[in-house]
Every structure is written in C-alpha cells, then in structure tokens.
C-alpha cells in the first residue's frame, strides 16, 4: 500500500489506543475516589461505634 495509507492506519490505531488509555485512566481515578470516600465513611462509622459500645 502507499505510505499515506499506512500513516493513516497508524494514526487511527494510535488514536484508538490513546482513547482507550484515557478512558481507563479516568475510570481508575474515579475508582480511587470512590474507594477513598468509602474508607473515610467506614472509618467514621467504626469510630462512632467505638465511642458507644452496645
């Protein structure tokens, strides 16, 4: 094939890889945020239970 066709295919593949990578990074950042909020909530609940034993 002609060099421009290969260059076009390479650009499309690079775009797809970068797009997927960005999506995965955004997912990972949000997952870390949710885990952090859950851990803060869990810690506060445990602290509240320690102050008031049943």
């Amino acid at each position: 094939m002609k060099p421009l066709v290969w260059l076009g295919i390479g650009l499309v593949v690079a775009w797809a890889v970068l797009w997927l990578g960005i999506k995965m990074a955004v997912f990972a950042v949000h997952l870390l945020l949710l885990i952090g909020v859950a851990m803060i909530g869990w810690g506060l609940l445990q602290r509240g239970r320690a102050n008031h034993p049943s």
Side-chain angles (χ1 to χ4, degrees), residues 5-27:
V5 174
W6 284 111
L7 183 60
I9 291 171
L11 288 174
V12 169
V13 169
W15 171 82
V17 169
L18 287 172
W19 181 78
L20 181 61
I22 290 169
K23 289 288 186 186
M24 294 301 268
V26 168
F27 173 75

Side-chain angles (χ1 to χ4, degrees), residues 4 6 8-11 17-18 24 26-27 29 34-37 40-42 44-45 47 49 51-52:
L4 284 178
W6 284 111
I9 291 171
L11 288 174
V17 169
L18 287 172
M24 294 301 268
V26 168
F27 173 75
V29 167
L34 289 175
I35 291 171
V37 169
I40 290 170
W42 183 263
L44 290 173
L45 283 175
R47 188 174 127 188
R49 288 183 185 163
N51 290 339
H52 304 289

